[in-house]
Amino acid sequence: SGQLVTGFVIEVTSVLDGASEKLIVDGSNIILINSSSGTTTSGFDYDVSVAGLVRTVTFTNGASTSAAVEALINGLTYQNDSGSLSPGVRSITLTELTDNGGTNDGGDDSAALAITSNVSVITSNAEPTFVSTGSNPTYISSGDAVEAFESTSIDTQNSGQTIIGLTFSISGLVDGADEKIVIDGSTIALTNGAVGVTTDNSISYSISEAGGNATIVLNGSSLSESQAENLVDSLAYINDAGTPSVGVRLIELTSLSDSGGTDNGGDDTVNVSIQSSIDVQSVNAEPSVNANPTDPVFVEGGGPVTLYSTASIDLVEIGQKVVSFSFSVNNVFDGSDEVIAFDGTDIVPVSYTHL
């Protein structure tokens, strides 16, 4: 009785992740690499030696009661900080304990032990990282689609995984089916209940819309990180209304999922709030005119001949009117005797040329 514990030895096998693997002993984080050393809270000096995949941690120069060391052993923990764990079993064995009784008169101050605790190291999925920047573009009526995001960076955090899902929303919608997104090679109207598969990578999509707010869910993909980045950077908005309702359409990226699953407490989805404002502006588009020439024959002494049929005019914007137009006549040989009849009025060319 009255003796103190001066040292003990712990052996750890199958250490595969280098400096990421640790023992926490008596308040000290002991990194399981060669020559790692220090002193614990209770005053034990420790040193780590390496032989292949085996780490031996030797504690010396202590002076603790058996009760204190019992508490120390009961508090012994293992930690692995690797972002990509090497699965397997780590066998942690208490192999020796020494007291201060000495060896005089054939005494024995060291006990050989084989008390093993097996730690099963298993992997769990880390959620992906997802970073992007809203480009906040301006969309001009009748113009090309504008891309909403740029500089996207995606990392699954675990090797061999792919991106399987993306969710985003658009608010401020006013123009019904004329408001559309362009994604993965497909132009999709933002209408409630729309479903389908994209052109380039056969990604399933579904849209729910209410009150001018649409949520778009993409799933069933298997994209690499770079493919997913390109998918987001090419996400674009277009409005096919001849006169779109001016104002802001807010696109917000809300979540991204990878293929790692959720087993063992894993997390396969990152929730984000990355926004891009689309400033929709309406500018006057030129009108279009179509008509079929009749190419008539005028007979001397006859009545006027009709020049065109089935004329159609599209002013593009709603509510506009025609304010002017012009036409030309070639090969005028008979001066003021040649007349164009228009809207009940005979028009005599006052300046003309002939070829």
Side-chain angles (χ1 to χ4, degrees):
S1 65
Q3 293 183 0
L4 300 174
V5 176
T6 59
F8 56 95
V9 178
I10 298 173
E11 184 179 271
V12 185
T13 63
S14 302
V15 176
L16 300 173
D17 296 323
S20 296
E21 303 203 46
K22 304 174 183 177
L23 290 180
I24 295 87
V25 182
D26 192 28
S28 296
N29 290 325
I30 301 174
I31 300 173
L32 297 176
I33 58 174
N34 196 45
S35 299
S36 176
S37 61
T39 303
T40 72
T41 301
S42 299
F44 287 97
D45 295 332
Y46 66 84
D47 182 77
V48 179
S49 61
V50 174
L53 299 180
V54 178
R55 308 295 188 262
T56 301
V57 188
T58 302
F59 296 84
T60 58
N61 299 323
S64 294
T65 65
S66 57
V69 176
E70 288 169 359
L72 183 152
I73 292 172
N74 289 335
L76 173 64
T77 58
Y78 167 86
Q79 178 68 38
N80 192 322
D81 295 331
S82 173
S84 182
L85 298 178
S86 299
V89 175
R90 311 302 195 261
S91 293
I92 301 174
T93 303
L94 185 61
T95 61
E96 183 179 319
L97 186 140
T98 305
D99 64 27
N100 64 350
T103 58
N104 292 336
D105 301 321
D108 189 352
D109 61 357
S110 180
L113 308 171
I115 304 172
T116 299
S117 180
N118 293 314
V119 178
S120 297
V121 176
I122 57 177
T123 59
S124 62
N125 184 32
E127 70 178 27
T129 61
F130 184 18
V131 179
S132 189
T133 301
S135 55
N136 302 318
T138 297
Y139 176 78
I140 304 297
S141 58
S142 302
D144 295 332
V146 291
E147 294 179 346
F149 298 96
E150 60 190 7
S151 304
T152 299
S153 176
I154 293 171
D155 188 345
T156 64
Q157 300 276 59
N158 301 91
S159 62
Q161 293 184 5
T162 59
I163 298 301
I164 63 172
L166 173 70
T167 301
F168 59 98
S169 63
I170 304 180
S171 59
L173 301 174
V174 183
D175 298 324
D178 286 324
E179 304 212 47
K180 301 175 181 179
I181 56 164
V182 181
I183 189 164
D184 198 39
S186 295
T187 301
I188 305 169
L190 294 167
T191 55
N192 187 49
V195 295
V197 177
T198 62
T199 300
D200 291 345
N201 289 290
S202 299
I203 304 171
S204 298
Y205 66 83
S206 62
I207 299 176
S208 58
E209 188 277 333
N213 301 307
T215 298
I216 300 90
V217 178
L218 305 179
N219 54 45
S221 64
S222 182
L223 303 179
S224 68
E225 293 166 345
S226 62
Q227 286 176 318
E229 290 166 353
N230 291 334
L231 179 82
V232 175
D233 282 342
S234 63
L235 172 60
Y237 169 88
I238 191 169
N239 193 317
D240 286 341
T243 308
S245 301
V246 299
V248 172
R249 312 301 194 264
L250 183 66
I251 301 182
E252 181 178 8
L253 304 171
T254 55
S255 71
L256 182 86
S257 300
D258 65 27
S259 60
T262 58
D263 289 348
N264 304 316
D267 187 354
D268 61 358
T269 300
V270 59
N271 296 311
V272 296
S273 178
I274 305 171
Q275 299 180 341
S276 182
S277 295
I278 313 294
D279 184 11
V280 178
Q281 297 183 3
S282 180
V283 296
N284 189 31
E286 68 177 24
S288 62
V289 180
N290 289 294
N292 292 320
T294 59
D295 297 329
V297 174
F298 177 79
V299 178
E300 184 177 2
V305 292
T306 300
L307 305 179
Y308 298 96
S309 67
T310 61
S312 64
I313 297 175
D314 184 359
L315 301 181
V316 183
E317 289 82 13
I318 298 172
Q320 293 188 359
K321 297 180 180 180
V322 176
V323 296
S324 67
F325 64 91
S326 62
F327 58 86
S328 64
V329 182
N330 294 326
N331 296 325
V332 177
F333 292 97
D334 297 325
S336 60
D337 290 328
E338 300 202 40
V339 176
I340 296 292
F342 178 77
D343 194 28
T345 301
D346 290 342
I347 301 173
V348 178
V350 296
S351 176
Y352 52 86
T353 60
H354 59 79
L355 302 177

